[in-house]
């Protein structure tokens, strides 16, 4: 796996556990030679993740819309920084560059990115592994909602099972490797 797109917050969150999770993922990605593809910011979990990848000898590629270059404080020490015009272009470029997708804790934008990738997988636009990095059990309520969707017959079990979930960065990447072996 060459590159993984990581969706995460431009804030650090309410507890240090989220930053620690970003640092752990960054170290694992750098150690495994996996390029980070992310939203291009130098702040929040995005900045912590990119800084960790770079500090550990890895590559980090940012993709950021021009309108967010100043608002999210674009990271100018990256291996590569793509400045695009729109959020749609951002997501399309990240999807083009990525072999897989990880969603860390974040807000509405992070959720929107995750659900687009999830929907694309369900309708066959991509066949790439994707999952939730459930740092500090952040996504446990969402996972319960997925199970409720299955129980209420709005989501098939097959589509529910597409989402790989783990609280450990290395274990999640191992699941991604298993996915690639099956496909």
């Amino acid at each position: 796996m060459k590159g993984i797109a990581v969706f995460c917050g431009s804030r650090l969150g309410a507890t240090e556990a989220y930053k620690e999770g970003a640092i752990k993922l960054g170290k694992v990605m750098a150690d495994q030679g996996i390029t980070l593809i992310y939203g291009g910011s130098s702040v929040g979990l995005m900045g912590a993740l990119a800084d960790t990848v770079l500090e550990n000898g890895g590559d980090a590629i940012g993709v950021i819309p021009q309108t967010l270059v100043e608002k999210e404080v674009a990271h100018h020490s990256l291996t590569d920084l793509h400045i695009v015009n729109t959020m749609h272009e951002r997501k399309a470029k990240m999807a083009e560059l990525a072999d897989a997708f990880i969603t860390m804790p974040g807000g509405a934008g992070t959720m929107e990115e995750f659900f687009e990738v999830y929907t694309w997988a369900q309708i066959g636009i991509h066949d790439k592994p994707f999952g939730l990095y459930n740092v500090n059990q952040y996504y446990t309520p969402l996972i319960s909602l997925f199970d409720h969707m299955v129980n209420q017959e709005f989501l098939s079990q097959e589509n529910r099972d597409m989402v790989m979930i783990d609280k450990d960065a290395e274990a999640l990447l191992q699941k991604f490797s298993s996915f690639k072996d099956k496909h």
Side-chain angles (χ1 to χ4, degrees):
M1 199 166 304
K2 294 179 183 177
I4 296 179
V6 179
F7 306 126
C8 58
S10 60
R11 296 180 179 193
L12 290 172
T15 175
E16 189 72 16
Y18 301 124
K19 182 178 179 182
E20 291 168 5
I23 290 168
K24 174 68 174 174
L25 179 60
K27 286 179 180 176
V28 170
M29 289 179 72
D31 288 348
Q32 293 187 17
I34 299 169
T35 298
L36 168 65
I37 300 148
Y38 82 114
S41 178
S42 63
V43 297
L45 295 182
M46 287 197 280
L49 177 61
D51 288 344
T52 302
V53 168
L54 294 167
E55 289 165 6
N56 285 275
D59 291 325
I61 299 171
V63 183
I64 190 167
Q66 181 63 49
T67 56
L68 295 180
V69 167
E70 291 180 23
K71 185 178 181 181
E72 285 190 355
V73 193
H75 199 306
H76 295 289
S77 299
L78 301 173
T79 309
D80 197 5
L81 179 64
H82 298 267
I83 299 175
V84 296
N85 293 315
T86 67
M87 291 296 284
H88 293 293
E89 289 178 31
R90 177 195 226 177
K91 292 182 294 182
K93 185 67 173 176
M94 290 174 73
E96 172 191 327
L97 295 171
D99 298 311
F101 307 90
I102 292 176
T103 303
M104 288 190 58
T110 302
M111 291 287 79
E112 191 268 339
E113 291 166 326
F114 167 76
F115 278 109
E116 186 163 74
V117 166
Y118 192 3
T119 303
W120 287 354
Q122 288 182 68
I123 62 176
I125 291 176
H126 76 79
D127 184 24
K128 300 175 182 179
F130 65 98
L132 297 171
Y133 180 23
N134 197 20
V135 177
N136 199 38
Q137 298 185 30
Y138 184 78
Y139 285 115
T140 301
L142 181 61
I143 296 162
S144 295
L145 178 59
F146 292 155
D147 295 337
H148 179 68
M149 291 172 162
V150 171
N151 290 335
Q152 296 302 306
E153 300 179 7
F154 285 102
L155 180 65
S156 71
Q157 186 65 51
E158 179 183 3
N159 286 345
R160 161 62 181 87
D161 293 342
M162 288 179 164
V163 184
M164 295 177 216
I165 304 162
D166 212 291
K167 63 182 180 180
D168 180 75
E170 288 179 281
L172 184 57
L173 289 177
Q174 185 58 46
K175 289 178 181 179
F176 282 13
S177 294
S178 297
F179 173 91
K180 284 298 196 187
D181 293 340
K182 295 176 187 173
H183 291 84

